[in-house]
Amino acid sequence: MSALAERWRTMSLTLRSAILFAVAAALVVSAAGGYLYGAMRQEMVNRSDLQVTGRIDYYRKLLGQRFLVERLVANTGLFENMLGNEQDVLIFQLQGQKPLINVNPARLTLPSVVPTPVGQPQRLKAVRAGETPQGVPIRRASALVKLEDGKVLQISVAHVMANEQKMLARYLWRVLAAVGMAFALIALLGYWVMRRELRPLRRMAAQAAAIAPSTLSTRLSVHGAPQELRQLIVSFNAMLDRINDGYQRLTQFSADLAHEIRTPVGALMGQCQVALYQPRSVEEYETLLSTNMEELERISRMVENILFLARAGNAQSALNYRTLDMAAELQRVADYFEGLAEERGIQLTCQGGGRLWADAMLFQRALSNLVANAVRYADGNSQIILRAGTEGDACVVRVINQGAPIDAAHLDKLFDRFYRADAARSSQASGLGLSIVRAIMTLHGGEACAQCYPQPPAAQIVFSLLFPANPQEAHDGRG
């Protein structure tokens, strides 16, 4: 049974729909045919009952006015001719005696029926049903009539519904033939209609099959598509947009990664080649090894950052939540970067505070990356503000510095991997710091954003970290 159900589910949608339409049509035709068959059968029964009661009324009227018992016996052939149907039954008999007239060609044995008393009209409800030994329905009734000589005669009439049964059988076969024809015709028409109406779906499948990595910019056309498929096409195109965006990011990431690794590797190879060109002193080899160590440390940091982003992207990082004092955390980061800031004449200022539910190490890493970015790109002899507080249900941490204006087109891309708004200073950083900030905020169910407020001749750059009041619920909701 399960195999049959599985086969049905994997069957062509066009064929399944055609079969279902045909079954529905067959059921409708069957119901209509069954209703008409029942109505015709009941009508034939009613006509037979009218025929039986009509004959009884006729014979009661005829015998009650003109016939004596002797005259009745002398005219048996007259009553036989009146029946017309050779299978119908007509019996006249005096109560308690043998039948005077017994017209019963098939020699049927009629069950006893309570006769309608003398003087009472014969009603349809007095007619009783029965069957012949061959299963042919019979409608029978009986009534009493008083003859001219005062004797009481019982009239028993039965109608054998042989012709009606043949007619009903022919009608039943016609109904069955109509059901079969309806099933076949609707199945063929349904299959044709479904194939015709599913052409937009096949076109859509052909268009989707033609999309390759080199043609991810292709989109399915909604022109001429039925209303039911438009939402599917819109959703599919939106999915293609996301895939194309991710593919472009991955391609750009691969190119940037190759470029970032090529630079230190090239430097290492060049320095080693120069060193091997001729014999060097111990001091020169030590200097070369020291320089190579710096490049190797840079590569190591880059690999660690890439691994962190990969784990964060796959939600593999387990967070160790605890309550943090935001004022103390801001001051700790400010003290760490105080030396670097003083080299450029920059003052670090902490403002605000509050309680934050977050992973301490990841929070410090995100905030440190923002502060490092601000120290690197802020104007010399300016101020960097580290501000913490609450806004509604969210805890907000901001790093504010004064620096060169950032175009609005760059603001949304600052958190992309290896992206730099200032290409001239690309050698100063790996381009992964802000990407790590966004990954950390995603793990916490929050978000990171950047704003630029022009204040000629410079601008105020604001990086914001928005933590939800319940980061675990926010993270689960996004997952």
Side-chain angles (χ1 to χ4, degrees):
M1 191 67 179
S2 58
L4 185 61
E6 181 64 24
R7 185 175 180 182
W8 170 259
R9 285 194 294 268
T10 56
M11 189 183 294
S12 164
L13 181 61
T14 303
L15 184 58
R16 284 170 55 186
S17 301
I19 293 175
L20 290 176
F21 288 154
V23 170
L27 290 176
V28 172
V29 175
S30 300
Y35 172 78
L36 294 176
Y37 178 84
M40 178 178 287
R41 186 177 183 280
Q42 186 60 41
E43 181 64 22
M44 288 183 175
V45 170
N46 292 339
R47 287 177 179 270
S48 298
D49 291 350
L50 287 173
Q51 182 179 355
V52 170
T53 55
R55 284 178 179 176
I56 289 179
D57 288 339
Y58 175 76
Y59 292 138
R60 291 178 81 182
K61 183 177 180 181
L62 181 64
L63 297 175
Q65 297 178 357
R66 303 178 183 178
F67 280 85
L68 299 174
V69 173
E70 294 77 8
R71 189 178 177 186
L72 179 65
V73 175
N75 291 278
T76 11
L78 173 66
F79 294 98
E80 293 177 0
N81 293 333
M82 287 182 181
L83 291 180
N85 189 327
E86 295 181 355
Q87 298 187 34
D88 285 356
V89 178
L90 175 63
I91 299 175
F92 294 164
Q93 69 179 114
L94 296 174
Q95 290 183 326
Q97 299 182 17
K98 293 182 180 181
L100 300 175
I101 295 178
N102 186 3
V103 181
N104 189 356
R107 300 186 181 279
L108 299 175
T109 301
L110 299 180
S112 61
V113 180
V114 178
T116 303
V118 176
Q120 291 187 10
Q122 184 68 27
R123 302 185 182 279
L124 290 176
K125 64 181 182 180
V127 180
R128 297 291 180 265
E131 282 187 353
T132 67
Q134 294 76 28
V136 181
I138 299 177
R139 306 299 295 179
R140 68 187 192 281
S142 180
L144 300 178
V145 60
K146 190 173 184 179
L147 303 179
E148 286 185 352
D149 56 5
K151 295 181 179 180
V152 177
L153 182 72
Q154 180 176 349
I155 304 172
S156 297
V157 177
H159 174 66
V160 181
M161 300 178 63
N163 294 332
E164 290 86 344
Q165 189 180 43
K166 293 178 181 178
M167 185 180 299
L168 286 172
R170 289 195 298 269
Y171 182 77
L172 180 60
W173 279 110
R174 290 178 182 177
V175 169
L176 294 177
V179 171
M181 291 179 60
F183 181 86
L185 185 60
I186 296 298
L188 293 175
L189 289 176
Y191 186 82
W192 177 77
V193 170
M194 287 298 297
R195 279 193 61 84
R196 183 177 182 276
E197 294 303 317
L198 287 178
R199 284 184 299 182
L201 187 60
R202 290 194 293 273
R203 287 197 301 267
M204 176 181 169
Q207 294 175 3
I211 298 176
S214 59
T215 58
L216 283 177
S217 58
T218 304
R219 295 295 177 267
L220 302 184
S221 174
V222 296
H223 179 70
Q227 189 66 34
E228 293 78 4
L229 288 181
R230 291 193 176 185
Q231 183 59 41
L232 177 61
I233 292 175
V234 170
S235 300
F236 189 83
N237 286 339
M239 181 189 69
L240 286 178
D241 290 336
R242 295 190 296 270
I243 292 176
N244 186 44
D245 180 68
Y247 186 79
Q248 294 299 328
R249 288 174 181 267
L250 180 61
T251 302
Q252 185 64 40
F253 173 75
S254 300
D256 292 339
L257 180 60
H259 174 75
E260 293 294 332
I261 293 179
R262 183 181 62 180
T263 300
V265 170
L268 289 172
M269 291 179 61
Q271 292 170 4
C272 290
Q273 289 172 353
V274 171
L276 294 174
Y277 184 73
Q278 60 183 7
R280 304 288 179 178
S281 64
V282 175
E283 291 78 7
E284 289 175 330
Y285 283 124
E286 289 178 350
T287 302
L288 174 62
L289 292 176
S290 177
T291 304
N292 289 351
M293 278 298 298
E294 293 178 0
E295 294 296 336
L296 291 172
E297 288 174 358
R298 178 184 173 188
I299 294 176
S300 177
R301 287 193 300 270
M302 185 184 304
V303 171
E304 289 178 0
N305 290 338
I306 293 173
L307 286 175
F308 176 83
L309 290 173
R311 292 167 181 164
N314 293 327
Q316 294 177 353
S317 300
L319 303 187
N320 183 20
Y321 284 100
R322 62 188 182 90
T323 303
L324 304 179
D325 184 345
M326 289 192 289
E329 296 297 329
L330 263 59
Q331 190 61 51
R332 182 180 292 108
V333 174
D335 293 342
Y336 180 81
F337 285 95
E338 185 176 4
L340 290 176
E342 287 181 352
E343 291 180 2
R344 302 192 60 214
I346 296 175
Q347 179 183 0
L348 297 176
T349 304
C350 298
Q351 299 178 356
R355 297 288 178 178
L356 174 64
W357 181 250
D359 185 293
M361 292 184 63
L362 293 182
F363 174 76
Q364 291 174 10
R365 186 169 188 176
L367 182 59
S368 297
N369 286 358
L370 291 183
V371 174
N373 184 77
V375 171
R376 183 177 297 112
Y377 294 113
D379 292 339
N381 301 313
S382 62
Q383 184 184 39
I384 296 177
I385 300 175
L386 283 64
R387 181 178 299 162
T390 57
E391 296 181 4
D393 293 335
C395 297
V396 183
V397 177
R398 289 190 171 92
V399 177
I400 306 169
N401 68 274
Q402 180 179 331
I406 301 176
D407 190 84
H410 295 292
L411 286 175
D412 293 335
K413 301 178 180 180
L414 289 178
F415 294 93
D416 292 348
R417 299 175 184 181
F418 294 116
Y419 185 82
R420 301 180 184 86
D422 188 355
R425 294 184 284 182
S426 61
S427 62
Q428 299 183 18
S430 66
L432 295 174
L434 294 182
S435 299
I436 292 176
V437 172
R438 170 173 283 179
I440 291 174
M441 294 308 298
T442 300
L443 289 175
H444 283 82
E447 59 179 314
C449 58
Q451 295 92 24
C452 179
Y453 303 99
Q455 294 180 354
Q460 185 183 67
I461 313 299
V462 181
F463 286 90
S464 302
L465 304 179
L466 285 75
F467 290 86
N470 193 330
Q472 190 63 44
E473 288 186 1
H475 178 74
D476 293 343
R478 295 189 178 192

